[in-house]
Amino acid sequence: MDDTARRDTGLRRPDGMANAAFVLGLVGLVVLPICLGPVAIVLGVLALRRDTTLGGRARLGLALGTADVLVFAVSLAVERDWLGPLF
């Protein structure tokens, strides 16, 4: 496959990273926040460093990924406090 065929695929790669950061951050609030949150953070940072045209979406993915990690940490602390002497 030549180089011109690869360039005409529609979205730029950083734009795909920004979209993925947003989606993973959003899904991470409900499912697997400890796994999806850090991935959303990394993809958001990479998209911003690579000059995405979707900067707002990359920042939102970064914020949602951070929220995922915080929600996990708080839920872990509350659960540990609630279980008490078991752990």
Side-chain angles (χ1 to χ4, degrees):
M1 179 181 273
D2 64 352
D3 198 31
T4 57
R6 258 188 244 137
R7 274 189 254 150
D8 297 333
T9 57
L11 288 177
R12 292 176 38 206
R13 187 175 181 132
D15 292 347
M17 286 184 195
N19 284 328
F22 171 69
V23 169
L24 290 175
L26 194 61
V27 172
L29 287 172
V30 181
V31 181
L32 295 173
I34 195 62
C35 295
L36 298 180
V39 174
I41 292 170
V42 168
L43 286 175
V45 168
L46 285 175
L48 288 172
R49 284 190 180 175
R50 293 184 182 182
D51 239 4
T52 182
T53 58
L54 302 174
R57 193 165 295 174
R59 284 186 209 90
L60 189 57
L62 187 59
L64 286 169
T66 304
D68 291 348
V69 173
L70 289 176
V71 164
F72 177 75
V74 168
S75 66
L76 187 65
V78 167
E79 185 175 326
R80 184 174 180 168
D81 187 43
W82 181 70
L83 291 175
L86 292 178
F87 290 101

